[in-house]
């Protein structure tokens, strides 16, 4: 990786983790400290402290590829640019948008130093709070049908439910997509037992964190919002009661022979 | 969470990330600094610097649940115990073993303060090095048939290949399991195109890191070892060439309507 010499711009796509600054990696902190320009969706840019020499470009534009292009243009002009994402930038966040923009844009952009600093993605943060619900094979899916047909989402969900994966649902709901989570849980209830553990983990590690361990039956009528991560247990996922405290939730590593 | 008062032991299961200490979170570093006992498989314990007051219990025992029981016994006797895992402890690592031991063991163990500090799991570290190969829906599976029947593994793999997930394979190979990865890639070749990108990411972020971007056809005869993470692309996963450098690999966020 080339250093910050004149005319050598760069893009670093940085995972800020679930919210608590203690969940950033040291490498992500260093990358933030070296940036000249900071690009991201408003709440993520707001997590990064202001400092002299850092130009902040907070955006409420939901079109990620626009932000990605802006970052690449700045880097091509010689700036050291940090693009910030919540969680891990490679998991339903900004990294794919940056490479989409590279592929579709100025051929010179592919020769820029573009690096990705991984972060703690929401499903890992939620799982850690509860025990080890991802202890077996698992999948991560986005429930948003903004970028893929709903039929693809339901076919994928049915496949992994039938194959007995733990399923983490990102982007489960928004004001523009109010019914998709209910439909997904209805499908789960056709395939998994009604007492399967389902986790609604909201704003993990942030001041407004709220974690619920539900049964699949109860989850079908529970409320969620954009900040909620939903994890549907596999057939073996189980609870360990702890009196009044939230139970531990874990999925054993073993699958017995049929 | 109770503090370190006399008689109040605890277990913290800590993710050390892929290897580079800069990829630990600050929270994981703090948890290591507070531990009185350190338990783990030899190479993970070796990553933690020695210090006065830290008793190290490095083990070459491959039976994770034995280590978990040892940790819980020490905690029940009043010690602050750190159990260390590579990557994220909740992903094919020590966290599930700890909760298996809790459930099967002394009922008092379920009342111990047991916490999990998440880490950067191998697939996120590998993905970040290459671009955004996990940019769409993805799965993580262990290829080890030590703990589940091979028939379950192949049924799950076939399901997620047909449903067009990116597939991350943990524990792809060992001296005792030499043929499973080849069989898995043969199955992939029945379902995905021969030019599908496949990543062999070995020892990411460690001094002996070696990353290869192959086609599925070439991957079927490539060598891997225990330290290798294998990521099989989805139908849309693609390369962006960069001259002599390793190409970027990414999976677009969108799935077009059929």
């Amino acid at each position: 990786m080339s250093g910050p010499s004149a005319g050598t711009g760069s893009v670093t796509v940085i995972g800020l983790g679930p919210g608590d600054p203690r969940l950033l990696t040291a490498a992500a902190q260093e990358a933030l400290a070296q940036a000249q320009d900071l690009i991201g969706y408003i709440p993520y840019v707001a997590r990064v402290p202001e400092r002299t020499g850092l130009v902040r470009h907070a955006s409420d534009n939901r079109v990620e590829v626009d932000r990605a292009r802006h970052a690449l243009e700045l880097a091509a002009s010689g700036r050291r640019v940090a693009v910030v994402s919540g969680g891990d930038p490679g998991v339903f966040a900004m990294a794919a948008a940056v490479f989409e923009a590279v592929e579709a844009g100025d051929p010179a952009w592919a020769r820029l130093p573009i690096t990705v600093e991984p972060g703690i993605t929401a499903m890992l943060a939620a799982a850690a709070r509860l025990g080890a619900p991802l202890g077996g094979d698992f999948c991560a899916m986005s429930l948003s049908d903004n970028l893929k047909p709903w039929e693809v989402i339901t076919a994928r969900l049915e496949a992994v439910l039938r194959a007995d994966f733990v399923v983490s649902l990102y982007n489960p709901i928004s004001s523009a997509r109010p019914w998709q989570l209910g439909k997904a849980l209805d499908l789960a209830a056709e395939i998994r037992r009604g007492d399967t553990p389902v986790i609604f983990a909201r704003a993990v590690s942030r001041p407004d964190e709220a974690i619920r361990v539900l049964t699949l039956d109860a989850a079908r009528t529970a409320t969620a919002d954009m900040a909620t991560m939903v994890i549907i247990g596999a057939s073996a996922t189980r609870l360990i009661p702890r009196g009044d405290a939230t139970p531990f939730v874990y999925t054993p590593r073993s699958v017995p022979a049929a």
Side-chain angles (χ1 to χ4, degrees), chain A residues 129-131 213 238-250:
Chain A
R129 272 287 195 273
L130 286 156
V213 178
R238 48 209 294 119
L239 307 185
I240 303 177
R242 290 202 288 171
D244 292 339
T246 304
F248 293 125
V249 185
Y250 87 98

Side-chain angles (χ1 to χ4, degrees), chain A residues 133-138 160-161 163-167 192-193 195-198 231-238 249-252 255:
Chain A
L134 305 178
D137 298 328
F138 64 91
V160 295
L161 288 165
D164 207 13
F165 284 82
V166 178
V167 183
R192 301 244 167 119
R193 289 200 322 271
D195 63 352
T196 301
V198 173
I231 301 178
I232 305 172
S235 63
T237 304
R238 48 209 294 119
V249 185
Y250 87 98
T251 304
V255 176

Side-chain angles (χ1 to χ4, degrees), chain A residues 36-39 45-51 54-58:
Chain A
Q36 296 171 315
D37 292 85
L38 184 65
I39 290 186
V45 168
R47 286 195 205 164
V48 180
E50 302 202 23
R51 64 173 163 78
L54 180 66
V55 182
R56 301 158 71 87
H57 309 264

Side-chain angles (χ1 to χ4, degrees), chain A residues 13-15 85-97 99 116-119 121 140 170:
Chain A
V13 193
I14 301 173
S85 263
D88 180 273
V91 177
F92 309 116
M94 280 300 297
F99 292 100
V116 178
E117 283 299 343
T121 185
Y170 283 74

Side-chain angles (χ1 to χ4, degrees), chain A residues 10-18 21 23-41 44-45 47-48 51 54 67 71 80-96 98-99 114-121:
Chain A
S10 62
V11 173
T12 308
V13 193
I14 301 173
L16 298 181
L23 292 176
L24 260 75
T25 67
Q29 293 279 19
E30 285 171 30
L32 288 171
Q34 287 164 10
Q36 296 171 315
D37 292 85
L38 184 65
I39 290 186
Y41 185 46
Y44 302 131
V45 168
R47 286 195 205 164
V48 180
R51 64 173 163 78
L54 180 66
R67 280 203 291 279
R80 285 194 306 279
V81 182
V83 175
V84 288
S85 263
D88 180 273
V91 177
F92 309 116
M94 280 300 297
V98 166
F99 292 100
I114 304 173
T115 51
V116 178
E117 283 299 343
I120 304 293
T121 185

Side-chain angles (χ1 to χ4, degrees), chain A residues 147-200:
Chain A
L147 293 169
K148 62 191 169 191
W150 180 245
E151 296 68 34
V152 169
I153 296 172
T154 52
R156 289 182 178 177
L157 183 57
E158 180 168 350
V160 295
L161 288 165
R162 290 202 187 283
D164 207 13
F165 284 82
V166 178
V167 183
S168 298
L169 299 177
Y170 283 74
N171 307 316
I173 202 161
S174 74
S175 53
R177 296 181 292 102
W179 53 262
Q180 284 82 346
L181 177 59
K183 290 281 188 195
L185 294 172
D186 289 348
L187 177 58
E190 292 175 21
I191 299 169
R192 301 244 167 119
R193 289 200 322 271
D195 63 352
T196 301
V198 173
I199 296 161
F200 278 35

